[in-house]
Amino acid sequence: SINFLECENIFCLDLKSSKNALEENNWIKSAKLKLHLPSSLIIEVEEETPKFVLKSEQSFILLNQYGSKIIKLEFINKDLEKLIVLSGKGVESKVSDLLSIFAVYPEISKYIKEAEFVSHRRWSLKHASDIIIDLPEEDPEIAFFKIGQLQSKYGFLSNKIKKVDLRIENRMIIKLKERIIKESKI
């Protein structure tokens, strides 16, 4: 990625085009190049940090916090299992919206392991305890905050719940896990 002008010695380095060439690599967030005369080139690189994994039909794509592609993968290794898995058409362009939702209740956000962008309009989240949380299209932050409050006060997100549907305004529909339903009928 280091480019020279007309010769190949340190005085002919094209620092600007070399910097741009380095930054074309998706793993590099930013690069700084400095000449240290008489004979050294110092390159400082800030690496991109993966924040999400985009699940596509045949592969996975690492995304940064802005939804920009870092690299395509065939599988997710152990180091990447803690990243949030995203799915749904157009989800890359809605990453900032998802982060806004997560910002209203960070204590709950850290347990979200999957987020699906459904029909270009709303989010369906999967909690670490395998609870699906369907957020409304309008004001999903408010609904997510309510879930956070219920969790803080009552430990709402327990292993008894399968799904929480908040898509209808002023309503919460809760679906219990099958095992719990069968036990309660006895």
Side-chain angles (χ1 to χ4, degrees):
S1 296
I2 303 302
N3 299 315
F4 294 89
L5 295 171
E6 295 172 9
C7 61
E8 289 194 18
N9 69 45
I10 198 161
F11 297 105
C12 296
L13 281 173
D14 187 349
L15 294 177
K16 186 174 183 178
S17 71
S18 297
K19 174 186 174 5
N20 292 339
L22 283 169
E23 290 177 346
E24 285 178 11
N25 181 328
N26 292 339
W27 275 109
I28 297 177
K29 190 174 194 176
S30 66
K32 293 180 184 176
L33 284 77
K34 298 177 190 174
L35 282 177
H36 192 274
L37 297 175
S39 61
S40 298
L41 172 65
I42 298 171
I43 302 173
E44 294 178 13
V45 173
E46 182 182 357
E47 290 184 1
E48 196 65 73
T49 305
K51 179 80 173 170
F52 301 102
V53 175
L54 175 63
K55 185 166 71 171
S56 66
E57 287 110 34
Q58 286 112 14
S59 63
F60 301 94
I61 299 171
L62 288 182
L63 302 176
N64 67 9
Q65 67 185 9
Y66 305 108
S68 298
K69 177 183 172 183
I70 297 174
I71 193 169
K72 186 176 182 179
L73 305 171
E74 292 183 23
F75 62 92
I76 300 174
N77 63 27
K78 280 203 177 271
D79 297 335
L80 303 173
E81 286 179 349
K82 293 182 180 179
L83 298 178
I84 298 170
V85 177
L86 301 177
S87 60
K89 194 170 184 179
V91 71
E92 309 94 310
S93 63
K94 295 296 183 178
V95 165
S96 62
D97 295 345
L98 182 62
L99 292 174
S100 295
I101 293 168
F102 287 169
V104 298
Y105 226 101
E107 296 84 19
I108 300 297
S109 302
K110 64 185 175 186
Y111 294 105
I112 301 298
K113 62 182 188 177
E114 293 181 28
E116 179 182 4
F117 191 54
V118 181
S119 300
H120 296 289
R121 56 187 180 84
R122 66 172 190 83
W123 291 99
S124 182
L125 309 175
K126 187 171 186 180
H127 190 268
S129 57
D130 289 331
I131 300 169
I132 302 297
I133 303 169
D134 286 335
L135 297 177
E137 183 177 354
E138 300 292 323
D139 300 321
E141 295 90 354
I142 294 170
F144 192 74
F145 186 76
K146 288 178 186 177
I147 291 287
Q149 286 181 316
L150 289 170
Q151 175 62 17
S152 293
K153 284 184 180 180
Y154 307 110
F156 178 70
L157 298 172
S158 71
N159 60 354
K160 297 176 183 177
I161 296 176
K162 182 176 183 176
K163 185 174 184 175
V164 178
D165 189 342
L166 299 161
R167 293 178 291 169
I168 301 172
E169 190 175 353
N170 296 322
R171 300 210 188 229
M172 180 181 293
I173 300 166
I174 300 170
K175 183 175 183 181
L176 299 176
K177 291 185 178 174
E178 291 295 320
R179 179 179 50 88
I180 304 301
I181 295 170
K182 288 177 184 175
E183 287 175 8
S184 64
K185 288 182 180 179
I186 297 175

